[in-house]
Amino acid sequence: MIRNNPLRLLLLLALAAFSVAGPASLEAAAPTFTKRPTLVPNNNLRAPMVGILSFVTDQPVTTIVSINDRSRRWELEFDTSWNPATGIPLLGLEADVRHEVYVSIRNAAGETTRFPNKLVFVPQPMTTATHTGPRIRVTKASPGRTEPGYTLFVVRRSTPLRPPFRSAGQQAFARMWGALLVVDDHGRIVWRYESDSRISGVDQFEDGNILFHRADSNTLEIDMLGNVVNQWYAARNPEISSSRGVPIDVQSLHHQPHEMPNGNFLALTANARLVKNYYDDAFDLAKRRDRMVMGDDIIEIERKSGKVLWRGSAWDHIDPGRIGYEATNAYWPTRGFPDHADWTHGNGVTYDPSDDSVLVSFRTQEAILKIDRKSGEVKWILGRPGGWGKLESRVLRPVGEPFLWPSHQHNPHISAFGTIVVYDNGYLRARPPEPWMLPEKSFSRGVEYRVDEKTMTVRQEWASHDGPDADSCFSWAMSDARRLPRTGNVLVIDAICADRERGLAVDESAGQKYLGEVTYYGRIREYAHTPKEVLMEILVEDPNELVAYEVFGGLRIPSLYPPGRAPKVRSLP
């Protein structure tokens, strides 16, 4: 009978085997490149060191990229959330170095296919031409001992002349260029972004995007390809004739932005008022006249809409008659506000989630204030006493030795260790009419304080330097200091390492050589906290000393890729 025919049984068994094994075999088939891989430079020339890897496959794949350069071999593994058809960014490649790249793909079943040909990519270098970029010189690196991740910092340039004497071309030279650089734990430049405007403070959003202010009162959020994600601008700034992005009803956006836990960000905005009988010269308090005075507000900005959700103002707390040295310098006149005094010079703000408050640094007030967001009241003042009026009782009392008040400080931070870390510029170390410290005896430092709000006391716990010596810089402006959360190391950025010549003037109107007319360079260091030791040092300089390069500030970032999507990284032998 047919049903008992051996050939019939064999045929049925073969069909059954194919119906079961056939689809499984198709699923397990090795993935195929249906469009061969290419590796090209990022099409956004502001971030030229990014390579874009593209190809098409016949099924979803994990992408494994093996990279060889002159000194290392490593592997990046991108999961299926990265679509190679739209391009996978290769980040962390060293400038001006040949990289040989090999691509493999793996499907869900574990089947792997390797593209047989190598790809080659040479990221554009950070040029050493004096008009475009500095020389980055690594004098010390300690991989494995420094904080994991990368160092992101701001580079600016200037001419060694006092601001009121600069020509229009020299002013443009300083204001029409800025750069963000990233170095790895060896000090190798692995990413850069170049701007056509001077950059000030920088922060990184939780999602990996970068937030920074520009000198033209525009604030940008960019991704690591240099693409603008969001942009805001000061709508009442006299130098802005037209701008892209969301207008903010303020006169300026400046210095250091700071992301809050809710995804919004804090910013500083200086806004002018007419003050009767104000000081004409901080070095000669007898000279008075009516004039416009810039005072700072702290604002919380909603990230998408640009709506101002909260505001705190120096005008609400400090007597405008409390003046500091530099308050009558040409800071705002060179930024589009003729004859405006620089009363507070806010230069850093940070959020304290423990009690919903903000810390703000006012440079020309020689103080850091902590302000409660709900009540708007000042909780304490970390700065030299005197002239605070009804706030005098809010000035913290120093305890312990050594102790030194911060002077013309920059950009405070709350550390993971419950301390306050700030860069103490050490400029003048006095308020008018007190005698100031001469530049030749001055020094700057990163410093860590611990505040006890119950006893209203402050203790100095750590400092990079205790006095002027051959190792200390004198950075009379800008700079940064941060305690790093994983290692406890301290990142100290000396924006300016200036020559401490005898007889330098600190008054812009003085006849002798002015402080800003000396040559200088920037320095980035990471210190082990205890015992104190320099683990990393990077110098940012012009070897010809024609251009004065500055490192405004910076921070350590854990990855160049968005959190949750960062590729797995493996070193290869």
Side-chain angles (χ1 to χ4, degrees), residues 3-25:
R3 76 174 97 180
N4 294 325
N5 187 320
L7 292 176
R8 168 72 172 174
L9 289 174
L10 288 172
L11 179 60
L12 291 173
L13 288 172
L15 289 172
F18 178 78
S19 66
V20 174
S25 300

Side-chain angles (χ1 to χ4, degrees), residues 323-325 363-366 384 406-408 426-437:
I323 191 173
Y325 288 118
R363 172 179 168 89
T364 48
Q365 292 294 314
E366 301 258 305
R384 61 184 66 251
S407 179
H408 276 59
Y427 183 47
L428 302 177
R429 295 199 182 276
R431 281 189 56 243
E434 301 166 357
W436 59 85
M437 182 175 287

Side-chain angles (χ1 to χ4, degrees), residues 231-441:
Q231 183 169 347
W232 309 265
Y233 66 95
R236 291 191 284 117
N237 188 289
E239 292 194 330
I240 297 179
S241 57
S242 63
S243 187
R244 298 178 180 177
V246 178
I248 310 295
D249 187 28
V250 293
Q251 287 184 306
S252 65
L253 291 166
H254 63 90
H255 280 84
Q256 183 69 38
H258 176 77
E259 185 189 21
M260 301 174 67
N262 60 11
N264 299 331
F265 67 95
L266 296 171
L268 287 162
T269 169
N271 297 279
R273 297 185 185 183
L274 177 65
V275 178
K276 298 287 188 178
N277 197 35
Y278 195 73
Y279 301 100
D280 190 42
D281 187 347
F283 294 90
D284 184 354
L285 299 185
K287 295 180 179 180
R288 301 279 195 116
R289 60 187 171 89
D290 299 349
R291 66 185 305 186
M292 298 299 290
V293 175
M294 280 289 206
D296 280 286
D297 292 358
I298 310 111
I299 56 176
E300 177 188 352
I301 299 175
E302 190 174 56
R303 183 171 173 182
K304 295 297 183 183
S305 69
K307 183 179 179 181
V308 176
L309 302 177
W310 177 84
R311 183 187 297 262
S313 178
W315 294 102
D316 296 336
H317 302 292
I318 308 173
D319 180 355
R322 189 181 195 275
I323 191 173
Y325 288 118
E326 282 198 303
T328 55
N329 280 9
Y331 183 83
W332 287 111
T334 60
R335 289 161 174 79
F337 295 89
D339 200 35
H340 284 52
D342 189 17
W343 169 49
T344 54
H345 195 107
N347 62 17
V349 62
T350 190
Y351 179 71
D352 187 348
S354 68
D355 59 0
D356 190 29
S357 61
V358 296
L359 271 66
V360 59
S361 168
F362 294 134
R363 172 179 168 89
T364 48
Q365 292 294 314
E366 301 258 305
I368 300 166
L369 277 63
K370 185 172 186 178
I371 301 173
D372 180 74
R373 281 176 18 103
K374 185 175 181 180
S375 67
E377 296 299 317
V378 175
K379 300 189 73 169
W380 50 251
I381 299 170
L382 199 172
R384 61 184 66 251
W388 293 107
K390 64 181 181 179
L391 293 177
E392 200 68 48
S393 63
R394 299 287 87 196
V395 178
L396 297 170
R397 178 172 55 87
V399 295
E401 294 290 342
F403 183 89
L404 195 63
W405 290 114
S407 179
H408 276 59
Q409 70 292 323
H410 197 265
N411 202 17
H413 305 279
I414 300 170
S415 78
F417 305 90
T419 54
I420 295 168
V421 182
V422 65
Y423 191 88
D424 173 16
N425 294 84
Y427 183 47
L428 302 177
R429 295 199 182 276
R431 281 189 56 243
E434 301 166 357
W436 59 85
M437 182 175 287
L438 297 174
E440 65 216 50
K441 297 182 179 180

Side-chain angles (χ1 to χ4, degrees), residues 20 151 416 534 557:
V20 174
T151 304
V534 176
I557 60 175

Side-chain angles (χ1 to χ4, degrees), residues 478-497:
M478 302 169 284
S479 307
D480 216 338
R482 300 171 186 253
R483 184 92 184 266
L484 302 173
R486 292 183 61 178
T487 59
N489 295 343
V490 185
L491 180 68
V492 177
I493 297 177
D494 302 291
I496 295 169
C497 282

Side-chain angles (χ1 to χ4, degrees), residues 133-299:
R135 178 177 69 182
I136 308 297
R137 184 158 58 95
V138 181
T139 63
K140 186 170 185 180
S142 307
R145 298 186 62 195
T146 50
E147 182 85 0
Y150 301 84
T151 304
L152 165 65
F153 57 95
V154 177
V155 176
R156 313 185 338 164
R157 69 186 183 189
S158 188
T159 53
L161 291 171
R162 65 187 74 187
F165 296 168
R166 292 173 186 162
S167 68
Q170 289 165 336
Q171 290 281 11
F173 177 81
R175 291 174 60 82
M176 303 299 286
W177 181 87
L180 299 172
L181 297 185
V182 173
V183 295
D184 65 10
D185 56 359
H186 287 78
R188 295 175 290 222
I189 301 173
V190 294
W191 184 86
R192 86 175 191 270
Y193 171 90
E194 293 194 44
S195 169
D196 55 8
S197 177
R198 190 172 173 90
I199 297 174
S200 55
V202 63
D203 197 14
Q204 185 181 45
F205 279 121
E206 188 67 28
D207 61 12
N209 287 346
I210 294 174
L211 173 70
F212 61 92
H213 287 314
R214 300 194 318 191
D216 58 4
S217 273
N218 279 260
T219 299
L220 272 64
E221 176 189 350
I222 63 170
D223 61 23
M224 295 304 289
L225 276 67
N227 301 318
V228 176
V229 178
N230 287 303
Q231 183 169 347
W232 309 265
Y233 66 95
R236 291 191 284 117
N237 188 289
E239 292 194 330
I240 297 179
S241 57
S242 63
S243 187
R244 298 178 180 177
V246 178
I248 310 295
D249 187 28
V250 293
Q251 287 184 306
S252 65
L253 291 166
H254 63 90
H255 280 84
Q256 183 69 38
H258 176 77
E259 185 189 21
M260 301 174 67
N262 60 11
N264 299 331
F265 67 95
L266 296 171
L268 287 162
T269 169
N271 297 279
R273 297 185 185 183
L274 177 65
V275 178
K276 298 287 188 178
N277 197 35
Y278 195 73
Y279 301 100
D280 190 42
D281 187 347
F283 294 90
D284 184 354
L285 299 185
K287 295 180 179 180
R288 301 279 195 116
R289 60 187 171 89
D290 299 349
R291 66 185 305 186
M292 298 299 290
V293 175
M294 280 289 206
D296 280 286
D297 292 358
I298 310 111
I299 56 176

Side-chain angles (χ1 to χ4, degrees), residues 36-39 53 66 68 98-103 114-121:
R36 60 183 296 157
T38 60
L39 180 55
L53 174 66
S66 301
N68 303 338
R98 175 186 170 92
H99 295 77
E100 297 180 349
V101 178
Y102 300 87
V103 181
R114 175 168 173 156
F115 183 67
N117 301 328
K118 71 181 178 185
L119 307 174
V120 174
F121 184 62

